[in-house]
Amino acid sequence: DPPDVDPVVDATATDIAEMRIRGAATIADAAAEALATHAKRSEASSPEAFRSGMRAAARRLYETRPTAVSLPNALRYVLQGMDGETVAELRSSTAARAEAFRRDLEQAQAKLGEIGANRLRDGDVVMTHCHSTDALSCIEAALEDGKHVEAIVKETRPRKQGHITAEQLREWDVPVTLIVDNAARRYLDDADHVLVGADSIAADGSVINKIGTSGLAVNARERGVPVMVAAQTIKLHPDTMTGHTVAIEMREENEVLSTDERSEITGLEEADDGLIVENPAFDVTPPRHVDAIVTERGQFPPESIVTLMRELFGETIGEPWEA
Ligand code: RUB
């Protein structure tokens, strides 16, 4: 029989898959929290049973969404902290490791924000895409430094996470101009920075983020607007050091078709033999279109991010939940 996973693990995995919990850092935090709960409540009868239960919990969380590497990085980090001879020792070491991970994540985001804020001058206008807590941390720190910042917020179809960004910025009293994605090039003339987050960063400095980021970066380059990527080191994708590529999640047709009853515009409601709907959730921005990757360890030109990756991950072989 496969080992039981705690109902909290199951609920968290479902929330991640259905995007009630979303965004790379938030997903990592929620996964670590679920593993901590699973560890604390484990009624495993032996250390081996505890370990295999933890692996099953990590696998359940891992299989939810493929693109944000912060998820497997979080799972690996927590599982590597399982330490002890007895179930009781394993329970407390694993829970403590998960809780340390969550604290580090929060601190890294705050530190990254301070570094990113140094790039923003008083009076700057920032264009955003999607909703990134790492990117917002830079704006928050700039505001704390007493700088006035304004934002042009891209709606970000199909799920409109730009609205979450706009809401947060308004809470901080930042003046916001909300635009549809197609208006981005026109409004780049009014922007001093493009500021986005990342789901994964590859060894060559490519940035994997919400679909539309790459086109925005190309337009920004053409307009001479610098592109700044705010990404904690948890977003660095260790497998890309050995030639693996990052899987791009394909989401449901429904997000693109007019199946929303509230929509007053009639349109296509289903795909058929001659109508294909494609809905990739992320895209890849090549390093030449990125000016700086801001991490909690400092800012890097994308081409040099691999040195930081080697330092942080060394040689990673296999995944602990596959043991
Ligand atoms: C979210 C997204 C965000 C990154 C970074 O995509 O692309 O830009 O995850 O976010 P989705 P953060 O809504 O599909 O999860 O900085 O909060 O980790």
Side-chain angles (χ1 to χ4, degrees):
D1 277 359
D4 287 340
V5 304
D6 193 277
V8 161
V9 170
D10 224 49
T12 301
T14 305
D15 283 348
I16 294 171
E18 294 177 3
M19 288 177 68
R20 282 185 294 276
I21 295 172
R22 50 146 296 282
T26 309
I27 289 170
D29 182 60
E33 184 179 22
L35 288 184
T37 305
H38 174 100
K40 284 189 236 166
R41 291 195 201 156
S42 168
E43 287 172 4
S45 54
S46 67
E48 294 70 43
F50 178 90
R51 287 173 185 276
S52 84
M54 285 306 305
R55 286 199 295 268
R59 265 196 309 276
R60 173 77 178 94
L61 293 160
Y62 174 70
E63 281 158 8
T64 51
R65 295 184 74 190
T67 305
V69 74
S70 50
L71 174 59
N73 282 349
L75 301 173
R76 190 183 313 108
Y77 185 86
V78 174
L79 260 57
Q80 281 167 352
M82 292 193 286
D83 184 37
E85 305 291 312
T86 65
V87 172
E89 284 169 4
L90 282 163
R91 250 188 227 124
S92 68
S93 64
T94 310
R97 177 85 156 190
E99 277 145 20
F101 173 85
R102 299 185 66 205
R103 272 196 308 278
D104 289 351
L105 195 68
E106 209 183 302
Q107 279 172 13
Q109 187 167 80
K111 180 77 200 161
L112 167 159
E114 288 170 20
I115 295 168
N118 292 334
R119 295 182 63 91
L120 307 179
R121 292 156 307 177
D122 189 31
D124 274 355
V125 178
V126 172
M127 183 179 286
T128 66
H129 184 60
C130 197
H131 167 257
S132 157
T133 56
D134 282 354
L136 282 170
S137 177
C138 301
I139 297 179
E140 187 178 24
L143 298 171
E144 277 163 11
D145 290 345
K147 294 172 189 166
H148 177 82
V149 177
E150 299 192 9
I152 301 168
V153 173
K154 289 179 76 226
E155 161 185 63
T156 318
R157 281 276 294 154
R159 295 183 68 111
K160 295 190 179 172
Q161 292 95 329
H163 288 244
I164 309 170
T165 301
E167 242 168 38
Q168 177 63 77
L169 290 170
R170 288 306 301 133
E171 241 170 67
W172 293 337
D173 245 4
V174 171
V176 168
T177 305
L178 181 67
I179 58 169
V180 298
D181 296 305
N182 291 334
R185 186 163 178 271
R186 171 179 169 134
Y187 284 90
L188 272 170
D189 287 340
D190 301 333
D192 300 293
H193 308 264
V194 164
L195 171 59
V196 295
D199 288 84
S200 286
I201 308 267
D204 69 349
S206 295
V207 172
I208 294 86
N209 190 49
K210 179 57 54 192
I211 189 80
T213 302
S214 65
L216 175 62
V218 169
N219 282 332
R221 172 52 43 94
E222 188 251 352
R223 282 291 200 252
V225 182
V227 176
M228 163 179 174
V229 175
Q232 302 177 55
T233 55
I234 189 90
K235 316 287 181 64
L236 302 180
H237 201 306
D239 293 349
T240 59
M241 287 191 289
T242 49
H244 291 274
T245 53
V246 178
I248 300 291
E249 175 182 12
M250 299 299 288
R251 294 196 62 89
E252 283 179 14
E253 297 172 353
N254 287 349
E255 293 182 345
V256 181
L257 293 164
S258 314
T259 45
D260 186 341
E261 285 167 19
R262 291 164 302 182
S263 162
E264 286 174 20
I265 303 156
T266 52
L268 297 163
E269 293 193 355
E270 58 190 319
D272 61 38
D273 288 349
L275 174 67
I276 295 164
V277 179
E278 293 273 319
N279 186 18
F282 302 98
D283 65 20
V284 182
T285 303
R288 67 180 180 280
H289 293 135
V290 175
D291 291 274
I293 297 176
V294 177
T295 79
E296 77 278 14
R297 303 277 298 252
Q299 65 162 350
F300 294 80
E303 292 82 2
S304 74
I305 203 77
V306 67
T307 49
L308 182 62
M309 279 172 96
R310 286 207 193 97
E311 184 189 322
L312 293 173
F313 293 97
E315 298 295 310
T316 308
I317 302 152
E319 295 301 357
W321 54 90
E322 282 162 4

